[in-house]
């Protein structure tokens, strides 16, 4: 019996309920794995139906079609002579389970099989539950996705029970800086207990706000032996590694504490399979070498992840491109750069021979002979940008938007919203006999805010009009998806107008902080050779909704908000990740900001944040679907399930904070010898 095994794991760009496409991608991955000599193939979690089915998991159709795909896999000659490990939902005793289905050559080993599978396998039942697979040369165990992240993961007891190969079929979505944790968990699992670990993962947009970022990997004894890409436009990626089982056995023999623990573990039920992962004559078989994992910086992750998400959204929605209001500020510039990054990825994929990407782009531009080579030229086809000027816009923002559009190659439009704004205000004046004024012209705060909001909402209406008819006016087929540009910090505070041009079809930056966006834009200056971004970065962030003062901007975002973007990021993480209410946040920030703020200043900042956050929380119910990239996303669709009607005065909590401030101030006045 040989001792070297070649195993395969993969990252697949599956799509919820796209059973035909999912089936073809699974078959392709198995075919590639076999061509690379693998005798075990691991796929992602729920790969047959797609991970993002949500309530569709409760439908009998999802179960039926998943079984049909499994039957088609069993029937295919491609799945012969390789152990296939696929993910799908299974109903057992009227309970739906997220299962791994492991099969070999149609032979299965007490779940009652549906008739369509009985006819193929000639067997009525299979084991159902937590078991391990014992081949002639090794033992294989499975855990699913989040089980790797739990305090007592199944791989611990499996490894102690003699399982040498652990597989994990994952549906793990991208969050900035998450890859480090994922890799650490896998290497630590094999470092403490020895063994081989295969991680498969979804990749791509499965139909919602999440992007699954691949990172398939193969590890052994604390080292990585194969690394998959985190971001790419390839629908199927297969990794293989040839590893020596004796390395696992000798590594474990050196861990004396493990031997003691192994004697106490409860054994797993074993399903015996008359099959070997190794071949008898493998002395000359080369084994894989360990490698260092290569990580992307957060700025690179922003450049690649949302770009891949936009590509999947564009090709699967079958729209002809994007429409982006380009203001000359950092946020809309970041959205434009992400589209440009997508165009670069498309050109690179086509150049490297990706036939699926080529077919998709030809379909999108409605030109069968088209081959994209230049990202700028492609951007001109796929991205329409528009500077929507008003009497409150400065020449500087207009110049910055125009210059950036020229450098990325987008089809750029310049228009004035003033006629539409005056028409709307004229209707109001005709009905009420009143004409609102800005604060700068003697108006009230209520008038001032209403006049800002009407400008913002007119821009949203015009965005959708041009998205629908801009290509028509140019004699080109199709419509455009409207892109939003509100960052996660502005959404958290509610610093946006409800139903303004932050209301869009999708938002590539809605889960990214202002701090990270600025770092990303700085990266784009050099990576994409876009010098226009330097002037955008150096300019103050402004909505330009209030009158100019001597031709200069009189309004800035941070002054409007009453706090900095850096402070907002801290508030966001404490509120969501640290689960801090007003008082807990005050306590944490007392320490964090002790060198820059007095207790009273900290209290005022915390109260201002919670007041504005709670007053504007209702805006999250209409938030544009955004790429999820940050742990403190305020999106109430999934990530932040909280009320949208609060007592914005927080009387009990704020009163308690004020009392603590008074005590601290009294103690400070009494000095070190005094006391309270």
């Amino acid at each position: 019996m040989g001792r070297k095994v070649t195993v395969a794991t993969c990252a697949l760009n599956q799509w919820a309920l796209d059973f035909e496409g999912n089936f073809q991608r699974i078959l392709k991955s198995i075919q590639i794995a076999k061509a690379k000599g693998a005798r075990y193939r691991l796929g992602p979690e729920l790969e047959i139906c797609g991970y993002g089915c949500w309530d569709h998991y409760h439908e009998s159709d999802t179960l039926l079609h998943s079984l049909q795909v499994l039957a088609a896999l069993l029937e295919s000659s491609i799945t012969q002579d390789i152990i296939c490990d696929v993910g799908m939902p299974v109903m057992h005793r009227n309970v739906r389970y997220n299962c791994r289905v492991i099969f070999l050559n149609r032979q299965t080993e007490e779940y009652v099989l549906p008739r369509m599978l009985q006819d193929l396998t000639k067997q009525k039942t299979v084991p159902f539950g937590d078991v391990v697979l014992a081949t002639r040369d090794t033992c294989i165990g499975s855990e699913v996705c989040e089980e790797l992240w739990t305090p007592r993961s199944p791989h611990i007891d499996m490894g102690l029970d003699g399982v040498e190969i652990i597989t994990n079929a994952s549906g793990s979505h991208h969050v900035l800086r998450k890859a480090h944790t994922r890799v650490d968990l896998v290497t630590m699992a094999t470092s403490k207990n020895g063994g081989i670990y295969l991680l498969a993962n979804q990749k791509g947009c499965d139909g919602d706000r999440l992007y699954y970022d691949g990172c398939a990997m193969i590890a052994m004894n604390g080292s990585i032996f194969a690394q998959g890409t985190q971001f790419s436009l390839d629908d199927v990626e297969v990794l293989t590694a040839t590893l020596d089982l004796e390395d696992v056995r000798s590594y474990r023999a050196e861990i004396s504490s493990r031997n003691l623990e192994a004697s106490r573990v409860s054994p797993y039920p074993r399903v015996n399979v008359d099959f070997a992962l190794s071949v008898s004559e493998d002395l000359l078989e080369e084994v894989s070498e360990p490698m260092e994992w290569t990580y992307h910086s957060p700025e690179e992750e922003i450049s690649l992840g949302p770009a891949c998400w936009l590509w999947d959204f564009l090709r699967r929605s079958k729209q002809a491109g994007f429409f982006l209001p380009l203001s000359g500020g950092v946020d809309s510039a970041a959205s434009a750069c992400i589209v440009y990054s997508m165009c670069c990825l498309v050109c690179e994929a086509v150049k490297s021979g990706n036939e699926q990407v080529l077919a998709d782009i030809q379909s999108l531009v409605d030109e069968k002979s088209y081959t994209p080579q230049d990202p700028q030229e492609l951007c001109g086809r796929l991205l329409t940008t528009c500077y929507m000027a008003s009497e409150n816009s400065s020449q500087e923002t207009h110049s910055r938007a125009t210059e950036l559009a020229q450098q990325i190659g987008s089809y750029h439009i310049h228009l004035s919203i003033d006629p539409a704004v005056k028409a709307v205000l004229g209707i109001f004046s005709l009905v009420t006999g009143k004409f609102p004024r800005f604060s700068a012209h003697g108006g009230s705060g209520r008038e001032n805010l209403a006049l800002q909001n009407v400008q913002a909402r007119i821009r949203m209406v015009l965005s959708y009009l041009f998205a629908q008819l801009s290509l028509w006016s140019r004699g080109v087929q199709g419509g455009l998806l409207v892109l939003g540009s509100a960052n996660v910090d502005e959404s958290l505070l509610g610093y946006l107008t409800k139903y303004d041009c932050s209301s869009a079809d999708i938002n590539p930056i809605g889960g990214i902080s202002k701090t990270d966006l600025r770092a990303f834009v700085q990266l784009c200056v050099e990576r994409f050779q876009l010098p226009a971004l330097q002037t955008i970065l150096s300019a103050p962030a402004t909505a330009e909704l209030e009158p100019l003062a001597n031709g200069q901007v009189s309004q800035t975002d941070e002054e409007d908000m009453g706090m900095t973007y850096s402070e907002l990021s801290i508030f966001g993480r404490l509120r969501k990740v640290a689960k801090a209410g007003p008082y807990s946040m005050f306590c944490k920030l007392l320490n964090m900001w002790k060198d820059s703020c007095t207790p009273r200043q900290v209290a005022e900042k915390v109260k201002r944040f919670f007041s504005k956050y709670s007053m504007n929380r209702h805006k999250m119910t209409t938030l544009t679907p955004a790429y999820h990239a940050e742990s403190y996303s305020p999106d109430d669709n999934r990530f932040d399930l909280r009320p949208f009607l609060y007592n914005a005065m927080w009387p009990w909590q704020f009163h308690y904070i004020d009392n603590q401030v008074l005590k601290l101030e009294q103690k400070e006045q009494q000095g070190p010898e005094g006391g309270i």
Side-chain angles (χ1 to χ4, degrees), residues 237-265:
E237 180 184 23
V238 179
L239 300 182
T240 58
T242 300
L243 304 170
D244 194 331
L245 292 172
E246 289 301 318
D247 288 339
V248 173
R249 293 157 189 165
S250 58
Y251 184 92
R252 286 179 169 175
E254 288 293 317
I255 309 173
S256 57
S257 58
R258 180 198 171 276
N259 298 334
L260 180 62
E261 289 291 325
S263 66
R264 300 170 178 167
V265 75

Side-chain angles (χ1 to χ4, degrees), residues 107-121:
Q107 296 300 313
T108 52
E109 300 294 320
E110 261 340 296
Y111 172 77
V112 178
L113 292 171
R115 188 172 300 161
M116 70 177 82
L117 299 185
Q118 289 185 28
D119 293 342
L120 284 167
T121 64

Side-chain angles (χ1 to χ4, degrees), residues 247-446:
D247 288 339
V248 173
R249 293 157 189 165
S250 58
Y251 184 92
R252 286 179 169 175
E254 288 293 317
I255 309 173
S256 57
S257 58
R258 180 198 171 276
N259 298 334
L260 180 62
E261 289 291 325
S263 66
R264 300 170 178 167
V265 75
S266 299
Y268 272 80
R270 276 165 162 71
V271 176
N272 294 306
V273 182
D274 189 17
F275 184 79
L277 299 192
S278 61
V279 293
S280 55
E281 300 296 333
D282 62 2
L283 287 176
L284 299 180
E285 186 80 19
E286 289 189 16
V287 295
S288 303
E289 294 293 328
M291 57 182 291
E292 289 294 321
W293 190 276
T294 303
Y295 294 96
H296 292 291
S297 68
E299 302 85 63
E300 291 171 331
E301 291 186 61
I302 296 170
S303 174
L304 297 169
C308 293
W309 182 74
L310 283 182
W311 171 247
D312 276 348
F313 214 102
L314 182 62
R315 66 184 180 129
R316 287 172 170 170
S317 67
K318 301 191 183 303
Q319 297 301 300
F322 302 108
F323 181 89
L324 174 65
L326 194 61
S327 69
V330 168
D331 293 340
S332 62
S335 290
C337 288
I338 288 170
V339 177
Y340 186 71
S341 176
M342 182 200 79
C343 293
C344 292
L345 290 174
V346 169
C347 290
E348 290 168 8
V350 170
K351 186 178 179 180
S352 66
N354 190 317
E355 295 180 0
Q356 183 61 58
V357 171
L358 178 59
D360 286 335
I361 194 63
Q362 289 172 344
S363 174
L364 289 171
V365 301
D366 195 28
E367 193 174 319
K368 292 183 178 179
S369 61
Y370 177 65
T371 301
Q373 296 176 324
D374 178 14
Q376 283 185 310
E377 186 274 337
L378 179 58
C379 192
R381 290 174 178 256
L382 296 183
L383 178 62
T384 298
T385 52
C386 181
Y387 182 80
M388 299 185 185
S390 77
E391 60 185 15
N392 303 317
S393 302
S394 66
Q395 183 57 44
E396 287 79 12
T397 54
H398 173 237
S399 299
R400 293 197 295 265
T402 303
E403 190 178 359
L404 178 60
Q406 290 172 346
Q407 290 177 10
I408 65 175
S410 66
Y411 183 89
H412 190 61
I413 301 168
H414 173 267
L415 58 83
S416 172
I417 66 171
D418 288 336
V421 172
K422 288 176 181 175
V424 171
L425 293 176
I427 294 172
F428 178 83
S429 181
L430 184 66
V431 172
T432 65
K434 301 281 188 180
F435 201 91
R437 294 176 296 171
F438 285 104
S439 296
H441 300 153
S444 65
R446 183 184 297 185

